[in-house]
C-alpha cells in the first residue's frame, strides 16, 4: 500500500492506495470514532460491495446503507434527498460518518450530503471507478447537477480519508475504464509532459488493466491532483486548471442529456477541443494535437460528438462556474504538460466547435 498526502490547510488527509486494501477502512473509521455510519452507494455497486463495507463498519459502530439509483441523471435533488432522509431516519448526529462507496456520482452526492447535514459531518471516500480513484474522490469538490448545468450546486468538503482499492476495477465495465482514462490523460496534459509520454507508452496495458501499470498511474494521477489541491483547495486560481476539457465537456453532457455520454467521454472530446483551440492560438503544434487525438482514440474514447447545437453550447458554457459576467474562461495548453486559463476569441471558439462536430 502506498499513501499520498493531501495537504489542505484546514483538514489534511491521506489517500491509501493499493490492490486489496479495503480492510484499511476499519482503521480510518475507528480514527473518527463515529456514533454511527451511513454507507451511501448505488444499486449497481451496492450489490457487489456494500456487504463487505458494512461488515467492516458494523464491527465498529451501528451502520446503515442507502442505495441510490444508478446514473448521472440521478445526480439530482430527488436522489440527493434520499441520502439526507436516510441520515435523519437513522438519527445520525454530528458525530456520524458517511462512507461514499461508488464512482464519482455517488462520491459527489454523498460528500455534499455530509457537507450540509447538521452543518457538516465527516465522510470517507471509497472510490470504485477508475475515474473516481484518480480524480473525483480527491480534493473535496462535492455536489450535484441542476437543470441549468453540471455541478452547479455543491460545497468544498474534504473527506477524512480516501481508500483507493484498485481491486474494485475488476468488475468495472470497459466503457467506464475508458472514461477514467480521460481524466488520466487530462492530468498528463495539464501538469506533466513526461507523464503524458508514459500514458502514451502504456495505453494498451492501461486499457487492459495491467495491475502494475494501473497502480503506477493511479498513484501518479493522485499525486498530481493532491499537489494542486494542496496549493489551492478552493479554486482561487491554479485548481481551475484541473478543469481542462470540462467547460466543453459539461456543455456536451448537459445538451446531449445527462448520461447519454459518460462524463469521461465528454471530457475526452473537451480535451481535443481545448487542444485545437490552443493550436489556433499558436501555443501548441498540429503534431501535438494529432498526438492528443491519437491517444484519446487509443484509450477507447470519442474525439468528437456530432450534432450538438453550437449556439446552445456557447450558451451552456456561459453558465459554467469559471465564467464571469457571461465571459467564458477556458483551460488551454501552452504545451503538452502545461495548462493556463484564459478567454477564447469567439471566432476561434466557433471554429473549433464546428471542427468538433457541433452544428450551426
Ligand atoms: P459513475 O459514478 O456514474 O460510475 C460509473 C458507472 O460504473 C455507474 O454505472 C456505476 O454504478 C458503475 N460502477 C462503479 N463502480 C463499479 C465497479 N467497481 N464495478 C462495476 N460497476 C461499477 O461515474 P464516474 O465516471 O465514476 O464519475 C463521474 C462523475 O464524477 C460525474 O458526475 C462528474 O461530474 C464527477 N466528477 C467529480 C469530480 C470531483 O472533483 N468531485 C472530478 C471528476 C468527476
Ligand atoms: N475535477 C476538477 C477539480 O477537482 O478541481
Amino acid at each position: 500500500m502506498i499513501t499520498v498526502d493531501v495537504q489542505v490547510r484546514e483538514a489534511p488527509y491521506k489517500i491509501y492506495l493499493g490492490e486489496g486494501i479495503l480492510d484499511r477502512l476499519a482503521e480510518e473509521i475507528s480514527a473518527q470514532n463515529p456514533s454511527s455510519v451511513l454507507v451511501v452507494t448505488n444499486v449497481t455497486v451496492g450489490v457487489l460491495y456494500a456487504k463487505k463495507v458494512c461488515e467492516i463498519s458494523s464491527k465498529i459502530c451501528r451502520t446503515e446503507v442507502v442505495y441510490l439509483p444508478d446514473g448521472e441523471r440521478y445526480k439530482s435533488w430527488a436522489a440527493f434527498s434520499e441520502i439526507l432522509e436516510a441520515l435523519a431516519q437513522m438519527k445520525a448526529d454530528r458525530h456520524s460518518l458517511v462512507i461514499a462507496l461508488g464512482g464519482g456520482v455517488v462520491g459527489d452526492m454523498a460528500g455534499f450530503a455530509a457537507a450540509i447535514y447538521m452543518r457538516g459531518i465527516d465522510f470517507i471516500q471509497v472510490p470504485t471507478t477508475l475515474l473516481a480513484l484518480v480524480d473525483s474522490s480527491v480534493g473535496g469538490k462535492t455536489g450535484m447537477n441542476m437543470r441549468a448545468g453540471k455541478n452547479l450546486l455543491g460545497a468544498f468538503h474534504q473527506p477524512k480519508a480516501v481508500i483507493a482499492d484498485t481491486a474494485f476495477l475488476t468488475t468495472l465495465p470497459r466503457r467506464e475504464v475508458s472514461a477514467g482514462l480521460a481524466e488520466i490523460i487530462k492530468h498528463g496534459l495539464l501538469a506533466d509532459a513526461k507523464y503524458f509520454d508514459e500514458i502514451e507508452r502504456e495505453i494498451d496495458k492501461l486499457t487492459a488493466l495491467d495491475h502494475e501499470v494501473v497502480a503506477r498511474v493511479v498513484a501518479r494521477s493522485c499525486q498530481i491532483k493532491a499537489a494542486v489541491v494542496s496549493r489551492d483547495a478552493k479554486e482561487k486560481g491554479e485548481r481551475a486548471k484541473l478543469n481542462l476539457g470540462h467547460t466543453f465537456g459539461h456543455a456536451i453532457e448537459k445538451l446531449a442529456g445527462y448520461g447519454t455520454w459518460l462524463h469521461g467521454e465528454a471530457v475526452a472530446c473537451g480535451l481535443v477541443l481545448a487542444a485545437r483551440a490552443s493550436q489556433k492560438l499558436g501555443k501548441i503544434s498540429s503534431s501535438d494535437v494529432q498526438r492528443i487525438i491519437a491517444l484519446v482514440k487509443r484509450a477507447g474514447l470519442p474525439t468528437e460528438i456530432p450534432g450538438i447545437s453550437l449556439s446552445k453550447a456557447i450558451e451552456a458554457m456561459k453558465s459554467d462556474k469559471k465564467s464571469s459576467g457571461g465571459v467564458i474562461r477556458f483551460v488551454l495548453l501552452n504545451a503538452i504538460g502545461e495548462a493556463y486559463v484564459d478567454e477564447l476569441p469567439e471566432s476561434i471558439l466557433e471554429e473549433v466547435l464546428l471542427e468538433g462536430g457541433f452544428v450551426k
Side-chain angles (χ1 to χ4, degrees):
M1 181 169 71
I2 67 163
T3 59
V4 177
D5 288 307
V6 189
Q7 298 282 8
V8 282
R9 205 178 313 143
E10 66 280 17
Y13 57 96
K14 289 188 192 301
I15 307 165
Y16 298 93
L17 241 161
E19 195 175 0
I21 56 131
L22 182 59
D23 286 340
R24 171 80 210 188
L25 181 61
E27 263 177 75
E28 295 308 307
I29 298 173
S30 297
Q32 306 312 320
N33 193 21
S35 53
S36 58
V37 164
L38 179 67
V39 177
V40 180
T41 188
N42 72 21
V43 288
T44 310
V45 181
V47 166
L48 295 166
Y49 303 114
K51 187 164 174 259
K52 170 78 177 152
V53 168
C54 289
E55 260 169 34
I56 293 171
S57 177
S58 56
K59 283 186 189 143
I60 300 160
C61 66
R62 180 167 64 90
T63 299
E64 306 219 355
V65 56
V66 59
Y67 297 88
L68 304 178
D70 185 3
E72 183 73 37
R73 68 183 188 285
Y74 298 109
K75 200 176 172 184
S76 64
W77 269 114
F80 180 66
S81 64
E82 285 184 36
I83 309 174
L84 298 176
E85 291 300 339
L87 284 164
Q89 283 276 320
M90 68 184 277
K91 299 194 168 29
D93 60 27
R94 285 187 165 161
H95 302 285
S96 296
L97 174 76
V98 168
I99 295 177
L101 173 69
V105 170
V106 164
D108 281 12
M109 288 206 293
F112 187 36
I116 66 169
Y117 184 75
M118 293 195 173
R119 299 204 177 90
I121 61 174
D122 291 339
F123 85 116
I124 291 177
Q125 287 272 18
V126 184
T128 63
T129 62
L130 183 59
L131 185 140
L133 281 158
V134 297
D135 200 320
S136 63
S137 65
V138 178
K141 275 191 184 176
T142 71
M144 64 191 192
N145 304 330
M146 295 177 72
R147 274 198 291 275
K150 273 272 299 178
N151 297 339
L152 287 184
L153 218 56
F156 287 103
H157 189 54
Q158 301 291 340
K160 287 289 164 189
V162 181
I163 309 294
D165 186 345
T166 52
F168 287 122
L169 299 178
T170 50
T171 53
L172 193 66
R174 288 275 134 203
R175 189 177 167 196
E176 300 292 347
V177 172
S178 290
L181 290 172
E183 302 281 10
I184 290 170
I185 295 169
K186 177 194 81 174
H187 290 142
L189 277 176
L190 74 93
D192 185 344
K194 286 204 176 115
Y195 183 42
F196 185 84
D197 295 345
E198 183 183 350
I199 301 162
E200 249 178 352
R201 270 195 318 275
E202 305 284 21
I203 190 66
D204 295 336
K205 288 188 178 169
L206 273 169
T207 54
L209 290 179
D210 176 278
H211 296 280
E212 187 264 323
V213 178
V214 166
R216 198 162 8 105
V217 163
V218 171
R220 183 68 193 125
S221 272
C222 284
Q223 281 163 355
I224 289 172
K225 180 146 188 190
V228 174
V229 168
S230 299
R231 290 190 292 265
D232 178 21
K234 297 218 168 139
E235 201 165 305
K236 303 282 183 215
E238 182 188 358
R239 184 168 179 167
K241 293 180 188 173
L242 292 175
N243 297 321
L244 178 63
H246 282 59
T247 305
F248 295 113
H250 286 172
I252 292 168
E253 285 187 81
K254 177 186 167 192
L255 294 173
Y258 292 122
T260 306
W261 292 95
L262 301 180
H263 176 73
E265 292 170 339
V267 166
C269 289
L271 296 177
V272 172
L273 291 166
R276 286 206 171 112
S278 307
Q279 185 206 342
K280 288 185 196 299
L281 292 166
K283 303 284 185 183
I284 65 172
S285 67
S286 67
S287 65
D288 287 334
V289 176
Q290 289 318 311
R291 265 183 86 185
I292 294 165
I293 290 174
L295 181 57
V296 166
K297 279 186 181 159
R298 286 178 67 201
L301 289 160
T303 55
E304 52 184 67
I305 287 170
I308 292 176
S309 152
L310 182 144
S311 57
K312 282 188 184 160
I314 293 176
E315 210 40 54
M317 287 190 274
K318 285 184 178 165
S319 61
D320 182 87
K321 290 190 293 309
K322 284 185 304 310
S323 301
S324 174
V327 178
I328 314 168
R329 311 262 304 157
F330 289 92
V331 188
L332 299 161
L333 294 171
N334 264 323
I336 287 180
E338 194 188 320
Y340 69 102
V341 182
D342 205 352
E343 294 164 30
L344 200 53
E346 192 118 348
S347 57
I348 292 188
L349 176 58
E350 287 199 6
E351 259 180 71
V352 295
L353 288 175
L354 289 172
E355 285 172 18
F358 289 71
V359 290
K360 278 225 169 171

